[in-house]
Structures are given as C-alpha cells and as structure tokens.
Amino acid sequence: MSKPALTLDLVDQHPTHKDLKADVMNGLRQPRKWISSMYFYDERGSKLFDEICKLPEYYPTRTELSIMEQYAGEMSALLGREVSLIEFGSGSSL
C-alpha cells in the first residue's frame, strides 16, 4: 500500500492595518506593552533585524546556524527524503 501524497496549502496571511498610530497606541496601552511584528518586517525592518543578529549579545541566530551546520547531515539522514524543513519568518533566509 503506497503512502498518500503530501499536500501543502500555503496561505498568505500578511496582515493589513488601517491605522499605524492606532495599532501602536493600542499595544502601548496594554499592561504588557507590545507592537505587532508586522511593523518590523518590512524591508527596512528586515535589514535592521539582520544587523541585530550580528550583535554579540544576540546569540539565537548564531546558535541555530551552528546547530544546523553541525547536525544538518545527521538530521537529514534520520528524517529521510520525505521531510521538508520550513523556516517561518526566517528573516534574511540565511
């Protein structure tokens, strides 16, 4: 018996905003302050995040890359050919 074909539906859920000021003010009025990440990941925000990733105190990106460089072959061998790795929100896609 063969395995069913894997299907993957991708949906663009890029949020839209009507009023930047209202969105920001709403987030800042909350007990735990926040601003929607959609405001950080335009072209300028993505470049800024790339620069933040280079800072010595920002270790997550370097750690993830190190793990992938060291173990990618082993992970691939264990997971097999029918597995896809998808990085949601991958920034520069390095």
Side-chain angles (χ1 to χ4, degrees):
M1 185 171 180
S2 65
K3 293 182 182 179
L6 176 67
T7 60
L8 179 64
D9 294 322
L10 298 177
V11 178
D12 181 3
Q13 295 185 349
H14 182 74
T16 59
H17 59 88
K18 304 238 186 277
D19 186 349
L20 169 65
K21 182 178 177 183
D23 287 349
V24 171
M25 293 306 295
N26 178 53
L28 295 178
R29 287 186 184 112
Q30 304 305 312
R32 185 170 181 180
K33 311 300 183 218
W34 63 275
I35 297 174
S36 173
S37 62
M38 75 176 161
Y39 295 114
F40 301 127
Y41 295 103
D42 58 5
E43 184 177 346
R44 183 174 177 218
S46 291
K47 287 179 182 178
L48 177 60
F49 184 71
D50 286 343
E51 293 304 311
I52 290 170
C53 290
K54 295 175 187 175
L55 296 173
E57 57 270 24
Y58 190 84
Y59 64 88
T61 301
R62 286 189 309 280
T63 302
E64 291 172 354
L65 287 171
S66 175
I67 290 168
M68 289 304 292
E69 288 168 353
Q70 186 171 355
Y71 296 106
E74 185 178 343
M75 287 187 278
S76 176
L78 289 170
L79 295 171
R81 295 183 146 274
E82 295 185 32
V83 173
S84 297
L85 174 63
I86 300 173
E87 171 67 74
F88 294 104
S90 64
S92 66
S93 299
L94 179 61

